Short mmCIF file of all heavy atoms in Angstrom, two decimals:
data_model
loop_
_atom_site.label_atom_id
_atom_site.label_comp_id
_atom_site.label_asym_id
_atom_site.label_seq_id
_atom_site.Cartn_x
_atom_site.Cartn_y
_atom_site.Cartn_z
N PHE U 275 99.98 90.36 90.56
CA PHE U 275 99.93 91.72 90.11
C PHE U 275 98.51 92.04 89.73
O PHE U 275 97.76 91.18 89.37
CB PHE U 275 100.79 91.80 88.72
CG PHE U 275 102.24 91.44 88.83
CD1 PHE U 275 102.64 90.08 88.78
CD2 PHE U 275 103.25 92.43 88.88
CE1 PHE U 275 103.94 89.83 88.79
CE2 PHE U 275 104.51 92.02 88.95
CZ PHE U 275 104.85 90.73 88.88
N GLU U 276 98.19 93.28 89.76
CA GLU U 276 96.87 93.67 89.27
C GLU U 276 96.78 93.34 87.80
O GLU U 276 95.57 93.03 87.31
CB GLU U 276 96.74 95.25 89.51
CG GLU U 276 95.32 95.61 89.13
CD GLU U 276 95.17 97.22 89.41
OE1 GLU U 276 95.99 97.80 89.97
OE2 GLU U 276 94.13 97.69 88.91
N TRP U 277 97.86 93.45 87.10
CA TRP U 277 97.83 93.22 85.72
C TRP U 277 98.53 91.88 85.24
O TRP U 277 98.93 91.71 84.15
CB TRP U 277 98.64 94.37 84.96
CG TRP U 277 99.66 94.93 85.70
CD1 TRP U 277 99.61 96.05 86.61
CD2 TRP U 277 101.02 94.51 85.85
NE1 TRP U 277 100.80 96.31 87.16
CE2 TRP U 277 101.73 95.40 86.68
CE3 TRP U 277 101.86 93.55 85.17
CZ2 TRP U 277 103.09 95.36 86.98
CZ3 TRP U 277 103.17 93.42 85.43
CH2 TRP U 277 103.84 94.28 86.39
N ALA U 278 98.54 90.83 86.18
CA ALA U 278 99.22 89.68 85.99
C ALA U 278 98.52 88.78 84.93
O ALA U 278 99.11 88.03 84.15
CB ALA U 278 99.40 88.78 87.21
N ASP U 279 97.18 89.05 84.78
CA ASP U 279 96.49 88.29 83.74
C ASP U 279 96.59 88.83 82.41
O ASP U 279 96.03 88.37 81.49
CB ASP U 279 94.93 88.09 84.14
CG ASP U 279 94.21 89.44 84.35
OD1 ASP U 279 94.98 90.43 84.33
OD2 ASP U 279 92.96 89.37 84.43
N LEU U 280 97.38 90.00 82.29
CA LEU U 280 97.60 90.62 80.94
C LEU U 280 98.88 89.88 80.26
O LEU U 280 98.99 89.99 79.03
CB LEU U 280 97.80 92.06 81.03
CG LEU U 280 96.59 92.83 81.62
CD1 LEU U 280 97.03 94.34 81.74
CD2 LEU U 280 95.40 92.67 80.85
N PHE U 281 99.72 89.20 81.04
CA PHE U 281 100.72 88.49 80.47
C PHE U 281 100.21 87.36 79.63
O PHE U 281 99.14 86.82 79.81
CB PHE U 281 101.73 87.86 81.49
CG PHE U 281 102.60 88.85 82.20
CD1 PHE U 281 102.30 89.50 83.44
CD2 PHE U 281 103.85 89.22 81.60
CE1 PHE U 281 103.05 90.37 84.03
CE2 PHE U 281 104.61 90.18 82.22
CZ PHE U 281 104.30 90.71 83.43
N ARG U 282 100.97 86.97 78.62
CA ARG U 282 100.70 85.81 77.87
C ARG U 282 101.84 84.83 77.88
O ARG U 282 102.96 85.19 77.41
CB ARG U 282 100.34 86.16 76.38
CG ARG U 282 98.98 86.81 76.24
CD ARG U 282 97.84 85.85 76.72
NE ARG U 282 96.54 86.47 76.64
CZ ARG U 282 95.93 87.15 77.70
NH1 ARG U 282 96.54 87.19 78.78
NH2 ARG U 282 94.76 87.65 77.52
N PRO U 283 101.88 83.74 78.66
CA PRO U 283 100.57 83.16 79.33
C PRO U 283 100.38 84.00 80.68
O PRO U 283 101.30 84.61 81.18
CB PRO U 283 100.96 81.71 79.62
CG PRO U 283 102.47 81.81 79.81
CD PRO U 283 102.86 82.80 78.79
N ARG U 284 99.09 83.83 81.14
CA ARG U 284 98.82 84.65 82.46
C ARG U 284 99.53 83.82 83.51
O ARG U 284 99.66 82.62 83.41
CB ARG U 284 97.27 84.62 82.64
CG ARG U 284 96.48 85.31 81.49
CD ARG U 284 95.13 85.26 81.70
NE ARG U 284 94.66 83.97 81.97
CZ ARG U 284 93.43 83.63 82.60
NH1 ARG U 284 92.75 84.65 83.09
NH2 ARG U 284 93.06 82.44 82.73
N LEU U 285 99.90 84.58 84.54
CA LEU U 285 100.76 84.05 85.55
C LEU U 285 99.93 83.39 86.60
O LEU U 285 99.00 83.95 87.23
CB LEU U 285 101.50 85.21 86.25
CG LEU U 285 102.46 85.92 85.30
CD1 LEU U 285 103.20 87.07 86.03
CD2 LEU U 285 103.47 84.93 84.49
N THR U 286 100.40 82.23 87.05
CA THR U 286 99.94 81.46 88.17
C THR U 286 100.53 82.07 89.46
O THR U 286 101.74 81.97 89.58
CB THR U 286 100.12 79.96 88.21
OG1 THR U 286 99.35 79.43 86.99
CG2 THR U 286 99.67 79.23 89.48
N ALA U 287 99.81 82.66 90.31
CA ALA U 287 100.42 83.39 91.43
C ALA U 287 99.58 83.26 92.81
O ALA U 287 98.41 83.14 92.74
CB ALA U 287 100.55 84.89 90.94
N VAL U 288 100.39 83.53 93.86
CA VAL U 288 99.68 83.67 95.13
C VAL U 288 99.29 85.15 95.23
O VAL U 288 100.18 86.05 95.13
CB VAL U 288 100.59 83.15 96.27
CG1 VAL U 288 100.10 83.71 97.70
CG2 VAL U 288 100.84 81.73 96.29
N ARG U 289 98.16 85.41 95.60
CA ARG U 289 97.60 86.78 95.81
C ARG U 289 97.52 87.00 97.40
O ARG U 289 96.81 86.30 98.01
CB ARG U 289 96.34 87.10 95.19
CG ARG U 289 95.81 88.47 95.50
CD ARG U 289 94.58 88.84 94.75
NE ARG U 289 94.86 88.99 93.26
CZ ARG U 289 93.86 89.15 92.30
NH1 ARG U 289 92.58 89.24 92.78
NH2 ARG U 289 94.30 89.29 91.17
N GLN U 290 98.16 88.03 97.93
CA GLN U 290 97.97 88.41 99.31
C GLN U 290 96.74 89.24 99.55
O GLN U 290 96.38 90.03 98.63
CB GLN U 290 99.26 89.10 99.83
CG GLN U 290 100.50 88.28 99.81
CD GLN U 290 101.72 88.94 100.53
OE1 GLN U 290 101.58 89.36 101.66
NE2 GLN U 290 102.73 89.21 99.77
N ASP U 291 96.17 89.21 100.74
CA ASP U 291 95.01 90.00 101.04
C ASP U 291 95.50 91.40 101.59
O ASP U 291 95.59 91.61 102.83
CB ASP U 291 94.16 89.31 102.16
CG ASP U 291 92.88 90.15 102.50
OD1 ASP U 291 92.70 91.14 101.84
OD2 ASP U 291 92.17 89.70 103.33
N LEU U 292 95.93 92.21 100.68
CA LEU U 292 96.50 93.56 101.13
C LEU U 292 95.55 94.42 101.96
O LEU U 292 95.86 95.00 102.98
CB LEU U 292 97.14 94.21 99.96
CG LEU U 292 98.19 93.64 99.19
CD1 LEU U 292 98.71 94.47 98.11
CD2 LEU U 292 99.41 93.22 100.11
N ASP U 293 94.24 94.30 101.39
CA ASP U 293 93.20 95.25 102.19
C ASP U 293 93.08 94.67 103.59
O ASP U 293 92.92 95.40 104.53
CB ASP U 293 91.99 95.09 101.43
CG ASP U 293 91.97 95.92 100.12
OD1 ASP U 293 92.92 96.79 100.02
OD2 ASP U 293 91.26 95.65 99.21
N GLY U 294 93.08 93.24 103.77
CA GLY U 294 92.88 92.77 105.12
C GLY U 294 94.06 92.99 106.02
O GLY U 294 93.91 93.26 107.13
N MET U 295 95.32 92.97 105.50
CA MET U 295 96.43 93.32 106.18
C MET U 295 96.39 94.73 106.60
O MET U 295 96.70 95.06 107.78
CB MET U 295 97.71 92.88 105.29
CG MET U 295 98.97 93.03 106.09
SD MET U 295 100.50 92.80 105.11
CE MET U 295 100.09 91.20 104.26
N ALA U 296 96.08 95.59 105.73
CA ALA U 296 96.05 97.04 106.03
C ALA U 296 95.00 97.35 107.04
O ALA U 296 95.30 98.07 108.08
CB ALA U 296 95.81 97.87 104.72
N ARG U 297 93.82 96.80 106.98
CA ARG U 297 92.70 97.03 107.84
C ARG U 297 93.13 96.50 109.27
O ARG U 297 92.93 97.27 110.26
CB ARG U 297 91.53 96.24 107.35
CG ARG U 297 90.32 96.52 108.24
CD ARG U 297 89.07 95.89 107.58
NE ARG U 297 89.20 94.56 107.22
CZ ARG U 297 89.23 94.06 105.97
NH1 ARG U 297 89.34 94.95 104.98
NH2 ARG U 297 89.27 92.75 105.76
N ARG U 298 93.73 95.35 109.34
CA ARG U 298 94.06 94.89 110.68
C ARG U 298 95.29 95.61 111.28
O ARG U 298 95.21 95.88 112.63
CB ARG U 298 94.37 93.40 110.58
CG ARG U 298 94.59 92.79 111.92
CD ARG U 298 93.37 92.90 112.79
NE ARG U 298 93.59 92.30 114.21
CZ ARG U 298 93.16 92.83 115.20
NH1 ARG U 298 92.41 93.96 115.26
NH2 ARG U 298 93.30 92.27 116.41
N ALA U 299 96.26 96.00 110.52
CA ALA U 299 97.38 96.79 111.00
C ALA U 299 96.93 98.18 111.58
O ALA U 299 97.28 98.60 112.67
CB ALA U 299 98.38 97.01 109.96
N VAL U 300 96.01 98.79 110.89
CA VAL U 300 95.51 100.10 111.24
C VAL U 300 94.58 99.93 112.45
O VAL U 300 94.69 100.68 113.54
CB VAL U 300 94.61 100.79 110.12
CG1 VAL U 300 93.97 102.04 110.64
CG2 VAL U 300 95.58 101.19 108.98
N GLU U 301 93.79 98.82 112.63
CA GLU U 301 92.92 98.62 113.80
C GLU U 301 93.84 98.42 115.04
O GLU U 301 93.57 99.22 116.11
CB GLU U 301 92.17 97.39 113.62
CG GLU U 301 91.03 97.53 112.68
CD GLU U 301 90.25 96.21 112.38
OE1 GLU U 301 90.86 95.16 112.78
OE2 GLU U 301 89.23 96.15 111.76
N LEU U 302 95.02 97.68 114.98
CA LEU U 302 95.90 97.53 116.09
C LEU U 302 96.54 98.89 116.40
O LEU U 302 96.74 99.17 117.64
CB LEU U 302 96.93 96.49 115.67
CG LEU U 302 96.44 95.13 115.65
CD1 LEU U 302 97.48 94.09 115.00
CD2 LEU U 302 96.00 94.54 117.05
N LEU U 303 97.01 99.51 115.38
CA LEU U 303 97.72 100.85 115.70
C LEU U 303 96.77 101.81 116.44
O LEU U 303 97.07 102.46 117.48
CB LEU U 303 98.23 101.50 114.44
CG LEU U 303 99.03 102.75 114.53
CD1 LEU U 303 100.43 102.54 115.35
CD2 LEU U 303 99.37 103.41 113.39
N LEU U 304 95.63 102.03 115.83
CA LEU U 304 94.57 102.97 116.49
C LEU U 304 94.21 102.47 117.88
O LEU U 304 93.89 103.19 118.73
CB LEU U 304 93.35 103.15 115.61
CG LEU U 304 93.69 103.74 114.25
CD1 LEU U 304 92.39 104.21 113.57
CD2 LEU U 304 94.61 104.92 114.34
N GLY U 305 94.17 101.13 118.10
CA GLY U 305 93.89 100.57 119.42
C GLY U 305 94.97 100.97 120.43
O GLY U 305 94.68 101.35 121.62
N ARG U 306 96.19 100.84 119.93
CA ARG U 306 97.34 101.23 120.83
C ARG U 306 97.16 102.78 121.10
O ARG U 306 97.50 103.23 122.17
CB ARG U 306 98.66 101.03 120.27
CG ARG U 306 98.95 99.46 120.01
CD ARG U 306 98.98 98.78 121.35
NE ARG U 306 99.39 97.38 121.15
CZ ARG U 306 99.44 96.52 122.10
NH1 ARG U 306 99.19 96.87 123.34
NH2 ARG U 306 99.79 95.28 121.94
N LEU U 307 96.78 103.55 120.13
CA LEU U 307 96.63 104.96 120.35
C LEU U 307 95.53 105.30 121.42
O LEU U 307 95.57 106.27 122.06
CB LEU U 307 96.41 105.73 119.05
CG LEU U 307 97.60 105.87 117.97
CD1 LEU U 307 97.18 106.32 116.71
CD2 LEU U 307 98.68 106.77 118.70
N ALA U 308 94.55 104.49 121.46
CA ALA U 308 93.47 104.57 122.27
C ALA U 308 93.74 104.02 123.71
O ALA U 308 92.92 104.17 124.58
CB ALA U 308 92.23 103.90 121.76
N GLY U 309 94.98 103.48 123.90
CA GLY U 309 95.39 102.99 125.22
C GLY U 309 95.25 101.48 125.42
O GLY U 309 95.41 101.05 126.56
N ASP U 310 95.01 100.73 124.33
CA ASP U 310 95.03 99.22 124.53
C ASP U 310 96.27 98.70 125.11
O ASP U 310 97.42 99.14 124.66
CB ASP U 310 94.83 98.46 123.22
CG ASP U 310 93.28 98.65 122.72
OD1 ASP U 310 92.52 99.20 123.46
OD2 ASP U 310 92.97 98.20 121.57
N GLY U 311 96.24 97.94 126.14
CA GLY U 311 97.52 97.44 126.82
C GLY U 311 97.71 96.01 126.76
O GLY U 311 98.54 95.52 127.59
N HIS U 312 97.14 95.34 125.86
CA HIS U 312 97.35 93.94 125.74
C HIS U 312 98.73 93.52 125.26
O HIS U 312 99.48 94.40 124.70
CB HIS U 312 96.30 93.24 124.74
CG HIS U 312 96.32 93.82 123.42
ND1 HIS U 312 97.31 93.51 122.47
CD2 HIS U 312 95.46 94.62 122.76
CE1 HIS U 312 97.05 94.23 121.34
NE2 HIS U 312 96.05 94.86 121.45
N ALA U 313 99.16 92.36 125.46
CA ALA U 313 100.53 91.98 124.99
C ALA U 313 100.59 92.02 123.50
O ALA U 313 99.59 91.85 122.76
CB ALA U 313 100.76 90.47 125.49
N PRO U 314 101.80 92.22 122.90
CA PRO U 314 101.93 92.27 121.56
C PRO U 314 101.48 91.07 120.77
O PRO U 314 101.60 89.99 121.37
CB PRO U 314 103.44 92.52 121.34
CG PRO U 314 103.92 93.21 122.62
CD PRO U 314 103.07 92.60 123.63
N VAL U 315 100.86 91.19 119.59
CA VAL U 315 100.30 90.10 118.87
C VAL U 315 101.09 89.91 117.56
O VAL U 315 101.51 90.93 116.94
CB VAL U 315 98.81 90.11 118.70
CG1 VAL U 315 98.16 90.17 120.05
CG2 VAL U 315 98.46 91.49 117.88
#
Side-chain angles (χ1 to χ4, degrees):
F275 302 81
E276 182 179 354
W277 31 269
D279 62 350
L280 299 179
F281 282 97
R282 289 295 178 268
R284 301 180 306 158
L285 301 180
T286 293
V288 169
R289 174 176 292 177
Q290 297 189 56
D291 181 7
L292 299 184
D293 290 336
M295 190 183 308
R297 182 170 55 252
R298 187 60 183 138
V300 170
E301 287 172 353
L302 287 169
L303 183 66
L304 298 190
R306 294 298 183 184
L307 288 171
D310 287 355
H312 57 75
V315 297

